């Protein structure tokens, strides 16, 4: 039994010595760590409409070292892209970052001050668009605060008047208190 304990103590001391040696070497020569764990691969999953090359470029410019890179900061950086709604970031040693993206799904066109924006059902603005080049049959939304209130209105209409949803063409939020609904048959 004592022999077994001695062997465990010797092995433990060996691993502690190796760990302390590695820490001291990397603290004396930090460039060894930087060279060993440079970000070489950025894998993007779940992206269809996002600009993958721009996202990769931003990640490479943001951080060169995988070990010292901040996953939360990379997540925030990627989520600032136009089409990106949510992301998760995973580091895979020695040199890969995997970014899983959930993109916004265009639900309507928000018209404000002569500009057109694609918006998600929750009201988040995705990107500015040119209506001349955009032929998708999306709902048009107008009025101050209308994107923030869109989701609740759509849920209420879907519950109370499910057949009406197919005929909606435009929603206008008037004077911050009521909605005008315009239908496909121009009512």
């Amino acid at each position: 039994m004592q022999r077994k304990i001695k062997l465990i103590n010797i092995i433990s001391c060996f691993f502690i010595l190796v760990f302390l040696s590695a820490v001291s070497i990397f603290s004396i020569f930090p460039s060894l760590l930087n060279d060993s764990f440079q970000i070489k691969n950025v894998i993007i999953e779940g992206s269809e409409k996002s600009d993958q090359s721009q996202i990769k470029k931003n990640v490479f410019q943001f951080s060169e070292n995988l070990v010292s890179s901040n996953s939360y900061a990379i997540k925030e950086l990627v989520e600032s892209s136009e089409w990106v709604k949510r992301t998760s970031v995973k580091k895979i040693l020695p040199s890969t970052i995997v970014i899983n993206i959930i993109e916004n799904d265009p639900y309507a066109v928000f018209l404000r001050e002569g500009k057109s924006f694609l918006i998600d059902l929750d009201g988040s603005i995705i990107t500015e668009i040119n209506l001349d080049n955009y032929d998708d049959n999306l709902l048009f939304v107008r009025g101050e605060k209308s994107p923030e209130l869109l989701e609740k209105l759509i849920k209420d209409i879907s519950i109370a008047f499910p057949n009406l949803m197919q005929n909606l063409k435009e929603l206008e939020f008037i004077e911050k208190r009521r909605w005008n609904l315009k239908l496909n048959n121009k009512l």
Side-chain angles (χ1 to χ4, degrees), residues 35-54:
D35 294 340
S36 300
F37 296 104
Q38 282 188 340
I39 298 173
K40 295 179 184 165
N41 301 316
V42 175
I43 299 170
I44 298 176
E45 299 173 342
S47 171
E48 293 178 15
K49 299 171 185 151
S50 306
D51 186 356
Q52 291 187 19
S53 61
Q54 184 63 40

Side-chain angles (χ1 to χ4, degrees), residues 7-19:
L7 184 62
I8 291 173
N9 285 340
I10 291 172
I11 292 172
S12 298
C13 287
F14 174 75
F15 282 116
I16 290 171
L17 194 62
V18 168
F19 176 75

Side-chain angles (χ1 to χ4, degrees), residues 16 32 35-36 38 57 78 81 115 121 166 171 180:
I16 290 171
L32 291 175
D35 294 340
S36 300
Q38 282 188 340
K57 180 180 173 187
V78 173
S81 299
K115 295 182 180 180
L121 180 60
Q166 300 163 351
L171 301 170
N180 277 355

Side-chain angles (χ1 to χ4, degrees), residues 72-187:
Y72 182 75
I74 292 172
K75 177 183 181 322
E76 292 289 318
L77 177 73
V78 173
E79 286 178 353
S80 68
S81 299
E82 281 184 334
W83 284 93
V84 178
K85 187 173 201 147
R86 284 188 306 274
T87 63
S88 63
V89 177
K90 182 168 69 172
K91 298 177 186 179
I92 300 176
L93 294 175
S95 62
T96 303
I97 291 182
V98 177
I99 300 172
N100 193 337
I101 293 177
I102 297 173
E103 293 182 326
N104 285 304
D105 187 24
Y107 187 80
V109 176
F110 175 51
L111 305 168
R112 178 180 66 194
E113 299 171 5
K115 295 182 180 180
S116 308
F117 303 91
L118 284 178
I119 60 172
D120 202 339
L121 180 60
D122 65 5
S124 56
I125 292 177
I126 301 170
T127 185
E128 186 174 353
I129 60 166
N130 182 351
L131 284 180
D132 297 334
N133 301 332
Y134 200 78
D135 61 348
D136 204 357
N137 292 325
L138 296 176
L139 187 63
F140 287 93
V141 178
R142 300 175 193 269
E144 189 177 337
K145 301 275 187 191
S146 59
E148 294 90 11
L149 302 170
L150 178 65
E151 186 173 17
K152 182 182 179 333
L153 176 68
I154 295 299
K155 283 181 183 176
D156 291 345
I157 291 173
S158 296
I159 292 169
F161 307 100
N163 295 335
L164 184 65
M165 285 303 301
Q166 300 163 351
N167 296 318
L168 277 179
K169 180 165 179 79
E170 187 174 325
L171 301 170
E172 186 174 10
F173 193 54
I174 307 289
E175 298 174 3
K176 299 181 189 176
R177 63 181 177 85
R178 68 178 178 88
W179 287 94
N180 277 355
L181 289 88
K182 294 183 183 175
L183 305 177
N184 287 330
N185 60 3
K186 298 186 180 174
L187 288 178

